[in-house]
Every structure is written in C-alpha cells, then in structure tokens.
Amino acid sequence: MSEAALPTHVSVMLDEVLDAMNLQPGMVVVDGTLGLAGHSVAMAKQIAPGGLLIGIDWDQAMLARAEARLKTETDGVEISLHHADYRALPDCVREACARFGRRLLVDAILLDLGLNNAQIEDALRGISFRQNGPLDMRMDVSKGVPLSEILKTISARELEQILWDLGDERWARQIAKVIVERRKTHPIETTDDLVDCIQAAVPAAKRDKRLHVATRSFQALRIYINGELDELQQAIESAARCLNPGGTLVTLAYHSGEDRAAKHAFKALSQGEGFTNVFKKPLRPSEEEVARNPKSRSAVMRVLRRNDSGEEQ
Ligand SMILES: C[S@@+](CC[C@H](N)C(=O)[O-])C[C@H]1O[C@@H](n2cnc3c(N)ncnc32)[C@H](O)[C@@H]1O
C-alpha cells in the first residue's frame, strides 16, 4: 500500500508540548513513543541546526514509517532510531549519545503513551473490534504470542481479573465464562470471534449505550498482552534521571492507569530537590482541539522539569 493510502495519526497537544519544552538549536531530545513521528518532526525543526533526536518505538512498522517521514521532513539534525521498549530509554540514550559524541544527558523527553491511530486502524493487528482480523494485539510482534494463543489456555479466573482490573468491565465474570466455554468447541481466533463472545455474555438491555459493548474488554486485553502498565512508574522515573539540569519531561496519557503512573512518578521525583512538577493540575486539550480531533479528548498532559542545580535529595 502506498504511504498516502495508509492510516495516519494526528499528534495530540502539539503546541502545548512544544511550549513546555522550550527547545533550542543544538539540543538533544528523546521521543520515547515515536509513532508516526508527528511530535518528533516538530521537535526536530526546533533543535535544528545541530540537534540530536533519539526516537524509540517497540513497533517496527511505526519505526519504518517514522524513519521515512523524518528523512523527508527534517534537515540539519542527527537522528538515532531504536526498536525498543521505552523502559530501556536510558540504554537508548547512552547508545545514541556515545554514537554521536554527545554528553549523556538530554534536554527534553516526550512519552505520548498508548497506541496510535495507524495501529488501531490496521485490521491485521487485531486491536480494534470495528474490523475483523486475526486476534493478535501485540505492539511488538517480534516477541510473545498473539492473544488468540493466550485465550486457548488462560483460566476463567485470570481472564476475569484482567477484564476487571484493566478495563473496569463489570461483566468480566460472564465474559470470561463465555470465552472459556466457547473455546471448547470453537477456537477464538479473530476479533469478530471475541466480539461474539462479549455480545453473548452481556445482555443487550444492560449495555452502556455510549460505548461499544467490546470497548472495555479489548482495551483490557491489549494492555495485558503488551504489559503496557508494567513498571511504568519506575520507567518514567528512570527516564527523568536522563535529563540535563533545566530539561523537561512531558507525558501524555489516555488511560487512567497510565496517568496514575505518571502522577506518582512526578510526585516521587518532585518530593526531592531535583525536580519540579510544573503544573499541579495536569493540562487537557482545548475545546478547539477536541472538536478538530475527537480522539484527543481523553488526553492528560503532565510536565516535569529537572531543576537547574540538577540535584536530588
Ligand atoms: C500515541 S502514539 C505516538 C504518536 C506520536 N507522538 C505522533 O505524533 O505520531 C504511541 C506510540 O508509542 C509506542 N509505544 C507504546 N508503548 C511503548 C513502549 N512501552 N515502548 C516503546 N514504544 C511504545 C506505540 O507503538 C505507538 O507507536
């Protein structure tokens, strides 16, 4: 498929992110969740000439598209791309800074958490209940197994716990029961198979009219299979320690679990002398942005700055 025909992603709170970072030519920035490089292209323009952009994504398909875009839309910056989990951000920074002969600390870091529209709209990824496709859901297909494999053996009890904890799904027990019953005769291999199980478990009259009946379960299973919340707070804290004095870390979260991790990390770090939580109340997208890009509506932005002294208590 040509690039123009592929699904795109609209970067969220772009102006607010750039304002918070106050980037200058020559700076070193890290985009820990590169996606389709929307934020990265804008950041790269501000650190040119002479800057270094370090981009990380655990999805090879996103990295390939981001690389092509960065090549054509940026100039005068060095670029280091890494197929990695942002939990390994300090390693990526060390590697990139050594390769380009830079100091080991960076001026700004962005973590735009979660997934992007191009991943959701790709039926072959099995992330969306709106299109039928193989039930995979992995962001990094070089690791682990597809969700369809897990659903063959997982216990009803564990499944219920995942749906409840990660999706706030109040029909978790019933959905888990239907999945475990149905797999005895029919393997659950596609997104439609999973939607059928959920529809069979949740009585039509009791469904929340504002949400598709499968929304919560799909979200929970995606977060589970990708370990999206695992050690997230520690990862954010380690990322912040890669900042230069005066440097800025911005998080954008779209799920309460992700934002909780960012909030706790910022609180832990700013209790010492080393960091300041810039906005006590997180920023939200403007009404104008939500009208233009409804997918931005759940975004919560937090900003942490490393103090000029750079010291921690
Ligand atoms: C919301 S999108 C980023 C969109 C990007 N800011 C843009 O403007 O195009 C999040 C990206 O982060 C990646 N991602 C999510 N969790 C990750 C993790 N733990 N490690 C590395 N990449 C991750 C996803 O694959 C996805 O491409």
Side-chain angles (χ1 to χ4, degrees):
M1 210 186 287
S2 77
E3 179 67 27
L6 291 169
T8 55
H9 176 82
V10 181
S11 300
V12 172
M13 299 185 76
L14 181 58
D15 292 341
E16 291 86 342
V17 169
L18 294 175
D19 279 353
M21 289 182 168
N22 191 22
L23 299 175
Q24 307 294 328
M27 282 185 163
V28 179
V29 300
V30 185
D31 187 343
T33 49
L34 186 64
L36 294 183
H39 287 100
S40 271
V41 166
M43 293 192 292
K45 288 187 172 151
Q46 297 198 337
I47 59 170
L52 167 63
L53 169 80
I54 303 168
I56 302 170
D57 205 297
W58 59 3
D59 183 336
Q60 282 278 25
M62 294 306 112
L63 268 181
R65 288 185 63 190
E67 184 172 17
R69 184 167 178 200
L70 285 163
K71 255 192 199 134
T72 55
E73 294 185 38
T74 65
D75 198 16
V77 277
E78 289 169 323
I79 292 177
S80 181
L81 298 185
H82 302 254
H83 178 224
D85 189 319
Y86 57 64
R87 291 168 186 84
L89 186 146
D91 296 336
C92 299
V93 167
R94 258 191 299 279
E95 193 188 310
C97 290
R99 177 148 36 108
F100 289 98
R102 304 274 181 156
R103 290 181 57 224
L104 283 185
L105 296 176
V106 305
D107 299 296
I109 300 172
L110 172 64
L111 292 175
D112 181 12
L113 302 166
L115 65 166
N116 76 58
N117 194 45
Q119 294 167 313
I120 300 171
E121 287 191 13
D122 181 353
L124 294 177
R125 311 297 295 262
I127 291 171
S128 170
F129 48 79
R130 296 196 191 279
Q131 314 173 72
N132 194 24
L135 192 56
D136 191 322
M137 288 205 189
R138 283 172 300 165
M139 299 290 163
D140 184 353
V141 291
S142 69
K143 293 198 182 113
V145 293
L147 179 62
S148 53
E149 282 300 309
I150 290 174
L151 292 185
K152 282 181 185 162
T153 53
I154 193 168
S155 71
R157 205 185 170 81
E158 195 182 352
L159 199 44
E160 176 186 344
Q161 200 71 51
I162 293 165
L163 299 175
W164 179 261
D165 288 348
L166 302 178
D168 295 327
E169 175 54 73
R170 62 192 184 99
W171 295 93
R173 178 166 301 169
Q174 292 82 347
I175 295 168
K177 207 168 144 206
V178 171
I179 290 173
V180 169
E181 262 316 298
R182 193 162 290 186
R183 74 184 179 199
K184 290 179 187 159
T185 53
H186 186 284
I188 297 153
E189 285 180 332
T190 66
T191 49
D192 275 1
D193 293 337
L194 181 56
V195 171
D196 285 346
C197 292
I198 298 164
Q199 280 174 332
V202 185
K206 304 273 180 171
R207 291 180 196 164
D208 180 342
K209 303 283 173 289
R210 291 159 304 170
L211 272 188
H212 188 287
V213 65
T215 306
R216 293 177 186 282
S217 300
F218 269 65
Q219 172 187 283
L221 291 166
R222 193 203 78 229
I223 292 174
Y224 167 75
I225 192 169
N226 291 297
E228 289 176 35
L229 299 180
D230 299 353
E231 294 169 34
L232 184 49
Q233 182 181 335
Q234 293 89 319
I236 294 170
E237 291 182 29
S238 314
R241 294 200 173 89
C242 296
L243 286 172
N244 261 321
T248 309
L249 167 65
V250 176
T251 59
L252 281 168
Y254 305 86
H255 176 270
S256 57
E258 288 167 349
D259 185 53
R260 202 173 308 122
K263 181 176 164 181
H264 288 160
F266 284 20
K267 190 166 174 205
L269 289 163
S270 58
Q271 270 166 353
E273 292 284 305
F275 294 89
T276 302
N277 185 5
V278 177
F279 299 107
K280 295 291 168 259
K281 243 179 116 197
L283 303 187
R284 306 295 309 267
S286 64
E287 281 178 24
E288 183 276 320
E289 176 166 3
V290 175
R292 183 168 36 85
N293 175 21
K295 289 186 175 161
S296 69
R297 67 185 172 277
S298 54
V300 177
M301 174 175 153
R302 294 183 185 271
V303 180
L304 184 81
R305 186 145 303 129
R306 187 157 206 170
N307 298 338
D308 278 331
S309 70
E311 287 163 12
E312 285 180 70
Q313 257 180 2

